[in-house]
Amino acid sequence: MHRADGSGGPDLPVLPVIQALSVVGALMILGAYAANQLRWLGPQNVSYALINTLGAGLLSFVAVVERQWGFLLLEGVWTLVSLWALLRLLGERKSGGRSPAGG
């Protein structure tokens, strides 16, 4: 749904949901970052990659809805890189800790 003024933005009832998704996504990414800085989780941890992937995915969705193309570029790439890391970690876990490339 779009505004009656033709601006293309969402109607007011949708804004609280979009804002909530945006805050949740940001908190997920910031939480993963803080956990990494505090050495609770590291980049080689599946939970870290999963939290980053989900948080960036939520923010990518928000960027599409809001038609924020620069933000979509940032979060879309963040999502893809995080997803790649997650799949790599899951592959290593499945193969017994070895890298799928043999490294």
Side-chain angles (χ1 to χ4, degrees):
M1 297 177 69
H2 298 286
R3 292 183 183 159
D5 65 8
S7 66
D11 287 334
L12 289 179
V14 176
L15 284 177
V17 173
I18 295 300
Q19 288 298 314
L21 290 175
S22 181
V23 168
V24 169
L27 287 174
M28 291 176 82
I29 290 173
L30 292 170
Y33 177 75
N36 183 32
Q37 293 301 307
L38 295 170
R39 298 179 190 221
W40 296 342
L41 290 176
Q44 299 304 317
N45 189 291
V46 171
S47 296
Y48 177 83
L50 180 62
I51 293 166
N52 261 305
T53 302
L54 294 175
L58 278 174
L59 291 174
S60 294
F61 173 76
V62 169
V64 169
V65 170
E66 294 290 325
R67 298 178 184 184
Q68 297 290 324
W69 308 125
F71 188 48
L72 177 60
L73 176 63
L74 173 68
E75 293 304 329
V77 170
W78 193 307
T79 301
L80 292 174
V81 170
S82 297
L83 180 60
W84 176 80
L86 177 62
L87 294 175
R88 182 181 48 81
L89 289 170
L90 291 173
E92 288 174 2
R93 180 184 274 186
K94 196 177 225 181
S95 67
R98 293 183 317 271
S99 155

